[in-house]
Amino acid sequence: VGEDDDGHTLASEAADAQDGVGEVLMQPTLARVLWHIGFLAANLVAVYSLEYEIYPGLVDVATRSTPNPSSALQRHAYPLAWACYNVGVTVSRLSVNFVRIRQVGLLSAAQALNFALWFCEARAHWLRNMGDDGYALMLLWMVWVGCMGGASYSNCCYRINHDEGIPKDVRNVGIPVAFGLVNVGIMIATATGLYLNCTILRDE
């Protein structure tokens, strides 16, 4: 009986090992993953890259040169903008439990518009020149920027994990692949922000 048990155990271990090798060999190629989740990954990359262009880059330029700041709001606008951004991110990430947005491209378009308007603000300082009222609007605006980022994150991840058209083997690696691409986008956005700060926005 002992020999049978040992033989059965060895056979089971061998079968498990073969299954493990099979799973490794059956991992989807990057091309196949991108075929199924490429649109969602592209939206994540776009939203995150634009966020990092806006903060820290453009918000820094829009608030750093405040002439003779007359209030705590003006003096601390930069860190307050980060706090407001995170409020928006938190609320919008939680919202996927109640409201789901399939048209994630709209979130990317909204964030692109945010970037364009923040770039204009960094050049023209319309809100900054309004004093405390303008700074308050900047902070509310950063809540909105965070909402776009958090909503894109939660809805894209939800779709990768639940869309029926995405095969299970792709779904298992979809999130890591998407966020690997997001990290590349963030690095590019950081480099672009540094370039803008040293060139077009240097004297703003």
Side-chain angles (χ1 to χ4, degrees):
V1 176
E3 292 182 358
D4 290 343
D5 289 343
D6 291 341
H8 178 70
T9 300
L10 291 173
S12 298
E13 291 177 352
D16 291 341
Q18 289 179 349
D19 290 340
V21 172
E23 288 180 3
V24 172
L25 295 176
M26 289 298 290
Q27 289 295 321
T29 63
L30 179 60
R32 183 163 182 262
V33 173
L34 293 178
W35 175 261
H36 287 282
I37 70 159
F39 175 74
L40 298 172
N43 278 277
L44 281 172
V45 171
V47 167
Y48 270 82
S49 299
L50 292 166
E51 280 181 5
Y52 276 75
E53 292 282 6
I54 295 170
Y55 194 101
L58 297 176
V59 175
D60 177 45
V61 177
T63 60
R64 71 185 176 195
S65 301
T66 304
N68 302 317
S70 59
S71 69
L73 176 61
Q74 295 181 25
R75 288 192 297 273
H76 302 294
Y78 184 69
L80 286 173
W82 176 244
C84 289
Y85 160 80
N86 281 288
V87 169
V89 167
T90 302
V91 172
S92 58
R93 285 188 180 184
L94 291 172
S95 68
V96 76
N97 293 311
F98 311 101
V99 179
R100 297 182 185 114
I101 303 170
R102 291 196 59 82
Q103 294 78 15
V104 291
L106 296 177
L107 302 173
S108 300
Q111 200 72 308
L113 178 61
N114 281 328
F115 168 78
L117 293 174
W118 267 107
F119 183 84
C120 292
E121 173 59 27
R123 294 295 303 273
H125 299 298
W126 295 311
L127 294 179
R128 191 186 77 181
N129 293 337
M130 292 171 58
D132 282 358
D133 290 342
Y135 277 86
L137 289 174
M138 285 190 203
L139 298 184
L140 290 174
W141 190 1
M142 283 306 296
V143 174
W144 176 249
V145 170
C147 284
M148 295 302 97
S152 180
Y153 170 89
S154 57
N155 284 279
C156 286
C157 289
Y158 182 89
R159 287 191 56 185
I160 290 173
N161 285 321
H162 294 90
D163 272 12
E164 294 181 358
I166 298 177
K168 182 179 179 181
D169 61 330
V170 171
R171 189 176 294 128
N172 290 339
V173 298
I175 298 295
V177 168
F179 279 94
L181 296 174
V182 164
N183 286 327
V184 173
I186 289 174
M187 289 189 288
I188 294 173
T190 302
T192 303
L194 288 172
Y195 173 78
L196 290 174
N197 272 266
C198 293
T199 55
I200 300 172
L201 300 175
R202 181 177 56 189
D203 298 324
E204 299 300 335

